[in-house]
Amino acid sequence: MSQTIVHPPPRTVDEVPGHDALVGGLEVWPQLDPFAATVRWQLLQLGQLVQRSVDRVAAANGLTHAEVAILGALKRFGPPFEASPSQLQGAHWVTLPGLAKPIARLEALGYVARRPNPEDRRGVIVKLTPEGNRRMTDIIENQAPPEYWAIANLDPERRARLEAVLPDLLGLLLASVPADDQAGLETT
C-alpha cells in the first residue's frame, strides 16, 4: 500500500528544496544579483509545479494538457463557445499544426465539433459541444488543482501584492523577449 507523505510548506526561501544548490551557484557567479536569481529559480519551480498539476488533472480526465487548454479556451471565449484555430493559437502559445491532433481527438471524444468557417471557406470553426462544456465545467468547478486553491486562499494583503507585481514582471519580461517567442502567449 502506497502512502502519500505531505510535507509542511516551507516558511522561508532557505527551506525550499534546492536552495543550497542555488546559493552555491551564486558563489560561483558573484556578479549575479541574488534576488533576481532566486526569483527566477522560484518562478521556474512554480512553472514546473503548475505544469505537472495541469497534466495530472488532464490525465485524470483521459485528456492531454493541450486538450484541456483548448476546452478551457473555448469556454473562456464565452457563448457560443467557438473559435477558429487561429484564435485558439492566439490563446495557447502553440502552432496551428500543433492544434490539429488535439482538436481531432476532442472531436472524436464528442467534446468539440468542427464546421466550415463562413468567413474563410478553407478554414473551420471549432465549437465546444454540450458534453465538452459539461466536462470543462466539471474540471473547473470540481477538480481545481492545488495551486488554484493556494492562490485563491491567499490573505488579502498577499493577494494584493501578487496582483500588483506579477503584471509588472510579465510586462518587463515581454519587453525583453523577441516577438517570435511571444507568438500565441495569452497576456490578458
Side-chain angles (χ1 to χ4, degrees):
M1 180 196 289
S2 173
Q3 181 179 7
T4 303
I5 298 173
V6 179
H7 299 282
R11 302 296 298 161
T12 69
V13 71
D14 295 350
E15 297 174 13
V16 175
H19 180 264
D20 292 342
L22 174 69
V23 171
L26 293 174
E27 290 171 3
V28 174
W29 291 289
Q31 69 275 24
L32 292 180
D33 177 343
F35 176 77
T38 301
V39 169
R40 181 184 177 280
W41 172 68
Q42 290 172 320
L43 289 172
L44 179 62
Q45 286 189 316
L46 285 169
Q48 290 171 344
L49 287 170
V50 169
Q51 178 73 43
R52 289 177 191 152
S53 183
V54 171
D55 289 344
R56 271 194 304 279
V57 169
N61 287 278
L63 301 169
T64 67
H65 181 126
E67 292 162 353
V68 170
I70 291 167
L71 293 176
L74 290 169
K75 183 82 170 172
R76 283 191 313 276
F77 279 120
F81 307 113
E82 62 183 24
S84 70
S86 294
Q87 290 170 310
L88 288 170
Q89 176 195 20
H92 292 297
W93 211 358
V94 294
T95 64
L96 286 175
L99 287 171
K101 186 176 177 181
I103 289 172
R105 186 160 181 280
L106 289 169
E107 186 175 36
L109 291 168
Y111 294 155
V112 302
R114 288 187 268 193
R115 65 176 172 80
N117 185 338
E119 296 174 15
D120 177 2
R121 296 172 62 196
R122 295 171 295 154
V124 297
I125 297 294
V126 180
K127 181 177 176 80
L128 196 60
T129 64
E131 180 59 28
N133 197 348
R134 279 190 293 279
R135 172 63 71 172
M136 195 65 229
T137 298
D138 178 57
I139 290 170
I140 293 166
E141 293 178 0
N142 301 315
Q143 301 177 48
E147 69 276 2
Y148 171 84
W149 294 111
I151 296 165
N153 288 305
L154 284 173
D155 63 69
E157 181 184 331
R158 286 183 174 165
R159 188 179 190 120
R161 289 192 321 237
L162 198 57
E163 284 177 317
V165 76
L166 284 181
D168 291 344
L169 180 58
L170 182 58
L172 290 168
L173 289 171
L174 287 172
S176 66
V177 172
D180 291 351
D181 290 344
Q182 294 180 33
L185 176 61
E186 186 173 352
T187 58
T188 58

